[in-house]
Amino acid sequence: MKDIPKEFDTAWDEREPNAVLTTIDANGIPNSVWVLCLHRLNKRKILIANNSLNKTLANIKTNPYGALLFLASDRRAYQVKGNLEYHTDGEIFQNIREWLDPKYPGHGVAALTIEEIYFGAEKVYETVS
């Protein structure tokens, strides 16, 4: 499997706190929401805490593919695309208790598996089957 570029790792570590998560419903209509509670579980998986993801959660259950857009500290945009899984128990769900501020409800966690990374319009990473 191709390695994720080090530039992406640096951008993630130094990103702006807010990001945008986009999902698509059963009719192909996109829905984008601001997300704040994010954590990179490992090189290929980003966790997004569900504090009030209503349409987003319905979309994940119907069409488990999405995109996460974030800004690096230098204001350059990165987009991550991949499969989304939703967890309300188990090891991945328990992981949010380690990093989620207790003031947030953390009803569940969406786990985005990184399949593609874009820097602007340039694809800088793609998983190899």
Side-chain angles (χ1 to χ4, degrees):
M1 181 177 305
K2 185 177 171 184
D3 289 337
I4 290 176
K6 292 187 186 320
E7 294 81 13
F8 175 81
D9 294 335
T10 301
W12 176 264
D13 291 342
E14 299 173 358
R15 73 187 186 285
E16 300 286 325
N18 292 342
V20 176
L21 177 64
T22 301
T23 55
I24 300 172
D25 72 11
N27 297 315
I29 299 171
N31 181 63
S32 296
V33 295
W34 285 109
V35 290
L36 178 63
C37 301
L38 305 166
H39 175 75
R40 194 162 172 201
L41 181 65
N42 56 43
K43 284 286 210 183
R44 296 246 357 262
K45 199 168 294 281
I46 297 171
L47 304 182
I48 304 138
N50 174 8
N51 296 313
S52 61
L53 300 175
N54 297 316
K55 282 185 191 177
T56 300
L57 179 55
N59 290 352
I60 290 169
K61 290 178 178 180
T62 302
N63 181 6
Y65 196 80
L68 183 72
L69 178 69
F70 70 90
L71 292 174
S73 61
D74 59 6
R75 309 292 291 170
R76 296 185 305 161
Y78 284 84
Q79 183 180 184
V80 179
K81 296 180 180 181
N83 187 59
L84 287 159
E85 299 172 341
Y86 189 72
H87 302 269
T88 56
D89 59 17
E91 186 176 333
I92 289 179
F93 175 71
Q94 290 304 319
N95 180 275
I96 69 171
R97 298 295 166 226
E98 296 174 17
W99 54 269
L100 184 64
D101 188 321
K103 70 181 177 186
Y104 296 111
H107 304 294
V109 63
L112 174 67
T113 300
I114 299 172
E115 296 175 7
E116 296 177 307
I117 300 172
Y118 292 82
F119 170 57
E122 178 187 1
K123 185 185 287 187
V124 296
Y125 174 80
E126 180 176 25
T127 56
V128 178
S129 301

